[in-house]
């Protein structure tokens, strides 16, 4: 396969099963002048097993900014470069955007060699609507910040996708159930494409109880997929109670408008109810 000079190739590598590396990815890695790797110790065995001798250069969170100018100069000199991360698609919760931006701003082509991505793989098997989703990456590690981040997602109607470190997964499932409601559907996708692949779905309450009891859940790598907030009012949120509360603080029209948005009840009907009650 021919590659274009002066091009940065962003190459996806497997998230577990080596056979998921595409033929094109293999050709590009073998043909560029250097492979920029998040961790050369992780990428070296992959290249070696493929019989690829392209030199490796470390490009990670801590040296990316410092290396960008030199790498853009290499593109200007006509070299083709490949960017890979430890696993999956670079830039997706992985380093690389500074280099991609700098290459694009300098006018060099940046070309994707797509392949595995844990978030997309999890969405494809979760059985939760995937036509609209919000990829949230890693939640904050500290408990309070994590709860605040989840609070902000309470009303999000798109499916939510999280990456999570295994040692925090039990706490996160507990926080998800407490914040978003134990009845929400969700899926734990663990060790995808690997020997111990486990895809488990259920409500957040069920998954939290299962994770607390399961020894294996704290090993390996995990994606959490959580259904978005239902468009209709959550159980227990009574439209008239909400309307009453809001009407104490806001003009009637505004209170009816917000209640309609949150509960799905017709705005005019809610407003009329306030009128009938003598609140307008
Ligand atoms: N760039 C990668 C991608 O495209 O998926 C993600 C890199 S991020 C630093 C690593 C996280 O991805 C892990 O903590 C885990 O949440 C998820 N992950 C990676 N491989 C996985 C796998 N085989 N099964 C489940 N989750 C995985």
């Amino acid at each position: 396969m021919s590659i274009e000079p002066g091009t940065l190739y962003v190459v996806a590598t497997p998230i577990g099963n080596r056979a998921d590396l595409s033929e094109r990815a293999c050709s590009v890695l073998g043909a560029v002048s250097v492979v920029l790797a998040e961790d050369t110790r992780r990428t070296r065995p992959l290249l070696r097993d493929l019989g690829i001798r392209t030199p490796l250069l470390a490009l990670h969170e801590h040296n990316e900014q410092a290396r960008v100018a030199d790498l853009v100069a290499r593109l200007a000199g006509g070299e083709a470069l490949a960017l890979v991360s430890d696993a999956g698609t670079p830039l997706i919760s992985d380093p690389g955007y500074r280099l991609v931006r700098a290459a694009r701003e300098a006018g060099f082509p940046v070309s994707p060699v797509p392949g595995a991505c844990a978030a997309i793989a999890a969405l494809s098997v979760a059985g939760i609507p995937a036509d609209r989703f919000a990829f949230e990456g890693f939640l904050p590690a500290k408990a309070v910040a994590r709860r605040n981040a989840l609070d902000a997602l309470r009303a999000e109607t798109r499916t939510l996708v999280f990456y999570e470190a295994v040692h925090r997964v039990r706490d996160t499932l507990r926080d998800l159930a407490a914040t978003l409601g134990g009845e929400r559907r969700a899926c734990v996708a663990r060790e995808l494409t690997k020997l111990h692949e486990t895809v488990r779905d259920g409500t957040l309450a069920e998954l939290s109880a299962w994770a607390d009891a399961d020894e294996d859940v704290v090993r390996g790598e995990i994606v959490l997929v959580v259904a978005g907030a239902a468009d209709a009012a959550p159980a227990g949120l009574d439209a008239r109670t909400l309307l009453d509360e809001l009407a104490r603080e806001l003009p009637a029209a505004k209170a009816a408008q917000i209640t309609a948005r949150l509960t799905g009840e017709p705005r005019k009907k809610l407003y009329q109810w306030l009128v009938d009650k003598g609140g307008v």
Side-chain angles (χ1 to χ4, degrees):
M1 195 202 99
S2 68
I3 53 160
E4 295 297 322
T7 298
L8 171 64
Y9 291 92
V10 180
V11 183
T13 55
I15 55 170
N17 191 324
R18 285 273 184 93
D20 290 337
L21 189 76
S22 75
E23 208 174 304
R24 182 162 165 253
C26 214
S27 309
V28 168
L29 293 174
V32 292
S33 62
V34 65
V35 173
L36 310 167
E38 184 186 2
D39 182 346
T40 55
R41 289 165 307 178
R42 291 283 297 267
T43 304
R44 187 163 288 116
L46 175 71
L47 298 192
R48 190 188 52 224
D49 293 352
L50 294 166
I52 292 172
R53 296 183 172 197
T54 309
L56 282 161
L57 187 68
L59 190 82
H60 44 71
E61 216 180 310
H62 307 293
N63 71 359
E64 186 180 351
Q65 194 59 56
R67 290 226 151 129
V68 160
D70 182 47
L71 293 169
V72 171
R74 289 178 76 158
L75 290 169
E79 288 185 52
L81 314 176
L83 171 69
V84 300
S85 58
D86 286 352
T89 302
L91 277 80
I92 310 301
S93 288
D94 267 337
Y97 91 87
R98 294 181 187 85
L99 175 62
V100 167
R101 181 187 284 179
R104 297 183 62 80
E105 280 176 0
F108 297 103
V110 180
S111 183
V113 182
C117 173
I120 301 298
L123 274 168
S124 75
V125 295
I128 292 173
D131 44 349
R132 293 167 67 244
F133 62 89
F135 174 63
E136 287 291 319
F138 290 95
L139 283 162
K142 296 221 167 89
V144 174
R146 191 169 61 233
R147 284 254 181 169
N148 289 341
L150 289 176
D151 259 337
L153 292 170
R154 218 190 267 261
E156 174 60 67
T157 54
R158 291 172 295 177
T159 292
L160 300 165
V161 185
F162 303 96
Y163 283 163
E164 191 49 288
V166 277
H167 63 275
R168 277 198 292 270
V169 73
R170 287 175 174 153
D171 288 344
T172 300
L173 281 167
R174 216 171 289 134
D175 285 351
L176 280 163
T179 320
L180 306 182
E183 291 310 306
R184 280 251 197 137
R185 289 212 72 75
C187 177
V188 175
R190 181 179 156 266
E191 292 289 87
L192 294 173
T193 79
K194 302 187 203 174
L195 185 62
H196 298 292
E197 179 177 282
T198 314
V199 178
R200 177 125 191 165
D201 61 42
T203 65
L204 281 171
E206 287 165 355
L207 289 172
S208 180
W210 163 73
D212 282 344
D214 187 284
E215 288 300 311
D216 291 331
V217 84
V218 291
R219 282 188 270 277
E221 299 190 279
I222 280 191
V223 180
L224 299 172
V225 180
V226 184
D231 286 334
L237 181 55
D238 172 65
R240 291 188 179 181
T241 312
L242 178 64
L243 185 59
D244 254 344
E245 282 301 309
L246 289 174
R248 278 190 238 280
E249 310 287 334
L250 297 169
K254 194 76 193 162
Q257 187 191 25
I258 295 173
T259 307
R261 200 164 63 223
L262 291 175
T263 64
E265 292 281 346
R267 184 179 51 81
K268 279 191 182 154
K269 189 180 109 186
L270 293 166
Y271 184 79
Q272 191 55 49
W273 188 75
L274 282 177
V275 173
D276 295 344
K277 214 178 148 230
V280 180

